[in-house]
Amino acid sequence: MGKVLMKGNEAIAQAAISAGCEGFFGYPITPQNEVPEYMSKYLAKSGGVFVQAESELAAINMVYGAAAAGARVMTSSSSPGIALKQEGISYCAGAQLPVVIVSISRGGPGLGGILPSQGDYNQATRGGGNGDYRVIVLAPNGVQEATDMVRHAFKLADSYRIPVMVMADGIIGQMMEPVEIDTTPIPKAPNLWAATGQGKRAHTNMVNSMHLDPYELEDHNILLNNKYLEIAKNETDYEKYLCDDAEVLIVAYGTPSRIVKSAIKTLREEGIKAGLFRPKTLVPYPFDALHEASKSVKFVLVTELSMGQMIVDVKLAVNGLVPVHFYGRTGGVIFEPQEIVDAVKSHLGGK
Amino acid sequence: MGKVLMKGNEAIAQAAISAGCEGFFGYPITPQNEVPEYMSKYLAKSGGVFVQAESELAAINMVYGAAAAGARVMTSSSSPGIALKQEGISYCAGAQLPVVIVSISRGGPGLGGILPSQGDYNQATRGGGNGDYRVIVLAPNGVQEATDMVRHAFKLADSYRIPVMVMADGIIGQMMEPVEIDTTPIPKAPNLWAATGQGKRAHTNMVNSMHLDPYELEDHNILLNNKYLEIAKNETDYEKYLCDDAEVLIVAYGTPSRIVKSAIKTLREEGIKAGLFRPKTLVPYPFDALHEASKSVKFVLVTELSMGQMIVDVKLAVNGLVPVHFYGRTGGVIFEPQEIVDAVKSHLGGK
Amino acid sequence: MKGRVSFDNDTCKGCGLCVSACPMKILALDLSKVNKIGYNPAYCIDQEKCIACTNCALMCPDSVITVERLDI
Amino acid sequence: MKGRVSFDNDTCKGCGLCVSACPMKILALDLSKVNKIGYNPAYCIDQEKCIACTNCALMCPDSVITVERLDI
Amino acid sequence: MKTVKMVCAGFGGQGVLSMGQMVALMAMKKGFNTSWMPSYGPEMRGGTANCQVVIDEAEIASPIVSEGITLLLAMNQMALTKFQPKLEKGAWLIVNSALVDTKDVPSDVHILKADFNAIAQEVGNPKVQNMAALGTLAAHMDIFNKQDGLDIIEEKFGKKNPELTLLNQKAFEKAYDIS
Amino acid sequence: MKTVKMVCAGFGGQGVLSMGQMVALMAMKKGFNTSWMPSYGPEMRGGTANCQVVIDEAEIASPIVSEGITLLLAMNQMALTKFQPKLEKGAWLIVNSALVDTKDVPSDVHILKADFNAIAQEVGNPKVQNMAALGTLAAHMDIFNKQDGLDIIEEKFGKKNPELTLLNQKAFEKAYDIS
Amino acid sequence: MTVVFKKTKGLTNKPLTYCPGCTHGIIHRLVAEVLEELNILDRSVLIASVGCSVMAYDFFNTDCIQAAHGRAPAVATGVKRVRPDSIVFTYQGDGDLASIGTGEIVQAAHRGENITVIFVNNAIYGMTGGQMAPTTLPGQITTTSPYGRDVKTQGEPIKMSELIATIPGTYYVERVMTADPVSVRKAKTAIKKAFQNQVDGKGFSMVEVLSSCNIGWGLSPVDSLKYIKERMAPYFPLGVYKDKGKAE
Amino acid sequence: MTVVFKKTKGLTNKPLTYCPGCTHGIIHRLVAEVLEELNILDRSVLIASVGCSVMAYDFFNTDCIQAAHGRAPAVATGVKRVRPDSIVFTYQGDGDLASIGTGEIVQAAHRGENITVIFVNNAIYGMTGGQMAPTTLPGQITTTSPYGRDVKTQGEPIKMSELIATIPGTYYVERVMTADPVSVRKAKTAIKKAFQNQVDGKGFSMVEVLSSCNIGWGLSPVDSLKYIKERMAPYFPLGVYKDKGKAE
Ligand SMILES: Cc1ncc(C[n+]2csc(CCOP(=O)(O)OP(=O)(O)O)c2C)c(N)n1
Ligand SMILES: Cc1ncc(C[n+]2csc(CCOP(=O)(O)OP(=O)(O)O)c2C)c(N)n1
Ligand code: SF4
Ligand code: SF4
Ligand code: SF4
Ligand code: SF4
């Protein structure tokens, strides 16, 4: 199958179907509506189940149930809807369920606006659910990568028994780009733990996030943490672009990273050696690689479509080596390459 | 009025009443049940309104409504309940409403356990609601400070028009300690913006978090951020204990900080100069003061009742100056002073 | 003439609900005009026949219509 | 004797629901005993009168009771 | 090649979104990188719509065209009023002369006009005005030729409705030929 | 003064929680720092309860007594079984001799026994066994005297029910005197 | 000449943002007229919900609070409890009230909150692009029921007036429609009663208004009115479902 | 001798953690007996909810999933949709089902999910220490209605069976109680029917069981049974509220 021109949301839905998604549970919210709409049209045709839940809360709990019963499942939403899913995500993480959550984010806080934003970085990477838990967060930079990452998300969810979020800004959800969706089947990890009815099993299965004994709960938390450390070791991913000789390192993720690339071209034309470091996994964050990459630069510039949220992880990575600056737009406003160029120049100062 | 022996949750409720709380909207959850219970008994008697909401979601939205109508209001909950409030908190922040949220946290993730924990640091400080917003987070170390901070929370909420969270672990909620609750009336900031019915006002009032125009929403986000910067300048608070000559700096907040103090006594008896840095405001975090305090020490040890969440802020503050280590227990297990003593010694190593 | 109906032309969205509500069939959309907001506005083709029943105004979602009655 | 009722003593919580359900009034709590879990367990004071109606077992929240019927 | 930053705007019923999609589709077939981005949300209500198409040899930087429009298709006056300030110098402007008055457009903008309504009327269906616009556009842009347009129309409508295909192709061709 | 780390444990109905509270209250009145912490949650169900009281001259470090108990009040056998491993050397153990067998308690623990049930029975109300325990405790602890106990009982029950106050005081006194 | 109909002072001058022919506009007007006639504009607080009417705060000439999706009855509770003298009303669509906000509406009725609820049932999610609502008719095509609502897997449409009427705390519930001048007049009477109840301190009142979404339904505005009358009303029978006032 | 009553295989050997005399235990046993008798233990998946029965997963001899507070019907939906051959049931208290989970239960019924719901109405929040539930009786004292439930400010108790019965998607609803051997036998019949419906693919079935919380009510276990019969049942009338099977 060659490239087709597809809307991000639809491509994401199709990628999930190609990955063998057995159940989708979602609720309408702009700018992700085409995900449930596409699913309602095509998922049942390929043997899966589509349910329009009564709310985001119900959706995440349906996903929790279906995953607990051993099915490969997904939900999707946008900013306030993801906020409503936080308790459920914490439950999924606690019960170690493989679920995929697509977040197509828009401006906030509150009802905010519906235009693209990256103001949900904290929401995705630090959760808001209770307790010590982590979900893997993947951040695509366009429609093609979004579909690849959705497929990858199902693999990761399965093999680590962990919720995986694919977080994209509203641009990716709404735009059309040429895309080729991989159709290779993804084998399912055996889920002997699933609650499907005991059948011929010798014991009953139980899916649960409660541990009343504190020592048991502590052990459980340590287990979750060890799993996370394992994931950090194996699955951290990023892209470096013209970093080798860079004197200025720009860090960006998602669609804005493409704007930064174009700014970097302009900067290089003007003789300023800039490079891009783009985390592809926001959790686990590529701390070590970014630390390395920042060693030889004058400063790091973090660019986000927010008031500055990822900058915290960048600072943690850089750990005081060089100054870390910030440039951001928010509320649905998207920066132009020239703004990045200007920001870099202003920090280079009298040079 | 002299000291009385009171349960933390009840003292918190009484402090809110003394602060002139006009409305409390909550839902039962262990270990904070005594807050709504106390309110149901005494709030109406002092002219306020108590409503047992049907859920945490409803509770935070009742609080949103009552605050929008200009009343001084509070809600309280615990871990999964706070997760459910995230969308509402984001709305309150977006609409700039003065509300007080008490969080008495327990073990997670998911249903977890009901024993004390600090695993909700991320939940409190990074939210999980959508968008760029901040709430002030105060962290008391005992019943007395909890009551003082609840009263302070109302003041802060009022004067900055911002949600303020008082986050305490389950110990504070459940234990009794001698406490003296200040009864000085707290004057209310004029809330000319409140939606109470137009009355004789020339214009109608509107409380809202939506801004469809991206430039408007961006301006709104900048306004919120400026407010936060102002708060960070004025309201950051912390305690230093034996820091002046310290070679080891231990950072802890909440009840565990008292355990650390007792460990520090032991350490000093053994000739190890340890000091405690205790953030009293988690948002805004005392980055500068902690940075200063870490300048002359060999290392910083962060201690939490979690797998390590505040450590991120500590690292941001220390910014690479000295190593930052961690010791934590979780799931409801509470460390003993000796564990801290041992952790310090092990990091001092061959010394 | 018992009544008079008038339209705030530039807020009319040309939906036609008034047209279909009029028992005297004296309202129509003016296909020859496009108003400021891009629609063909409604108008009265025969004021004389208006009975001031207010049906049109009742059905107008945009409060475009004012109805007056002849005082006799 | 038509029936026999027996108790899994150490799971009985001494709530007395069986006692009040027995139409023959032949059940009681044994106040002289405290079982492993700290309660005065129920017992039958007169097995002879048991009619195997299973009322006691039906009302027991902890499935403590087994009832047998005499086969004739 | 200079990056094409195009905006298509008009009333809801004028087919600007699908017209933009077909431009992107043609670009893709020709091996270019391309993106299509609609306006979305409540502002869609009330009957105006627009989309943004970017075509480039290099990777698309931003699919959002907020400034420096190089090519504007304005199907009504409101569209022109809204986007004219964002045209870059030397930009191309394609307008539906039936509905749009270009007297206030600065002289550094190249204007291509045609009466898409009339063409559509001639062909026999007012709905195909967007394909007439596509014709004018294809005639203007170096990277496309007539066959590209005819093919893409075939591809888009072919299976479902051969008659519609023909109709659309006719409108396209008419506009292409007079441009 | 050495920190007092006390645990009071027993069946649900034996009043261990309020007994612990009264110890903390007495300590507060005497100017000490003190804290009282109940066990809470579903484990309360099924009829066992316990609370932890810490008394100190310095600020209370942890209100949780998970190890190094210096004073244990065990109102039933389960309570003793559960907390005995956590007694520190030289700790004091107060038991209700009617219900608790102390033969397995190590010799480095000081045992104070009295039949609180019997005392309560004598006084005429089995519910006041916890005040008898308070009597034994007050007699043992240097920081309290008899009057402290009588006062605290007065304060706690006085207003509501003078009769109950007297009953409780009697039980307290009886146990205090024989200890 | 006497003016027998002109735009109510209960509405502001801002042009409504609804699609041409959308009967949200009629319902807005009716509510605003009632507030004007009862002389309670200056006491009223509108709780706007999330849906096409999200910007209702711009259109009503009253104080307003914009609520999170589905939570308007909880927000209204908060306001009414601390400001019992104000007249508090929510304006909610079927996605808002009958789907995500089911809990809040049921429980506000259960508590017998003295508020007024205007429930606009247009059998679809208008705002987000025409997805299925809990009230979407059997077989109706929407963007999430592209093959028509299948009652086997998507259920039969829920009847909120009937449901709310079972709640002991409910004082008054009526279902009306906006299909023609006669039904619009009846709708106004019901809405007036629902507000009068609040003024009189009676308790929870809800008016369900069958409304159109011609864009979502893919019909002309005029045909949409027919659809209300001929398709919706038979499934959602009009009438009073509860009136404690009558019983008193 | 023939054994005429012994503990069902549907329950595990773990001792129940309920308070002495709590009728949660009776209801557990009835459900377990029904699963055993219908021979569906090996196909069943219990969705345990949050409340005193949170650890029901330890007691039922079936596969189990523990659900967030109120969300059991959504969790059940997820399971049933992807595993239509399994027998899925929720076990929920009145705080769980009639308060925080109102939306989920109503909407599961609305979709006509083919699941079985066991709704334990004990008119109080047991687990968290006896707070008021939506079903708490007028005047009843709880830890959050310390002066007795005041219907003026806290509403009249909600009647969930009546409410759920109005939903077109609901197949079967009955209210039973556990006050004496006769009513317990009837309760079992209802529960059996609710599961048989699911086996037969009929759709959403709910049994509301009036149950005791002697600890929360401050009564003895035996007096609590009297309270169910004499105080609760008059307010919450027993009986079948909907049975599409009868109508068929
Ligand atoms: C928490 C949350 N979920 C989803 C949305 C997206 N959303 C906005 S309006 C709406 C539904 C509107 O439908 P309805 O209530 O029927 O009103 P209508 O637009 O038809 O008038 C939805 C789902 C949101 N804003 N917030
Ligand atoms: C989100 C959330 N809110 C609140 C709680 C606390 N909680 C646990 S059980 C319960 C209520 C239980 O009452 P009910 O459902 O009536 O069951 P019962 O205990 O009476 O059997 C509550 C509020 C929780 N665990 N999670
Ligand atoms: S009903 Fe109103 S908006 Fe519609 S055509 Fe008539 S006047 Fe215009
Ligand atoms: S079976 Fe019947 S008669 Fe026998 S003990 Fe039980 S209740 Fe009494
Ligand atoms: S989408 Fe539907 S409900 Fe919304 S304004 Fe348009 S016609 Fe009205
Ligand atoms: S608290 Fe009530 S419902 Fe819970 S186990 Fe005890 S008696 Fe049963």
Side-chain angles (χ1 to χ4, degrees), chain B residues 134-138 156 228-237 279-287:
Chain B
R134 294 278 187 157
V135 303
I136 298 176
V137 181
L138 310 178
L156 291 173
Y228 172 67
L229 295 176
E230 181 76 13
I231 291 169
K233 209 173 65 194
N234 301 337
E235 310 295 348
T236 307
D237 199 7
K280 295 166 76 172
T281 53
L282 302 182
V283 178
Y285 199 81
F287 290 111

Side-chain angles (χ1 to χ4, degrees), chain E residues 45, chain G residues 17-25 51-53 120 122 124-130 211-217:
Chain E
R45 228 142 277 151
Chain G
T17 45
Y18 302 100
C19 303
C22 174
T23 51
H24 262 304
C52 282
S53 60
V120 179
N122 62 9
I124 209 161
Y125 284 25
M127 172 67 134
T128 39
S211 181
S212 73
C213 174
N214 56 76
I215 293 295
W217 296 352

Side-chain angles (χ1 to χ4, degrees), chain B residues 173-184:
Chain B
Q174 289 301 319
M175 76 170 152
M176 284 183 138
E177 285 193 309
V179 59
E180 179 160 7
I181 299 174
D182 188 356
T183 54
T184 327

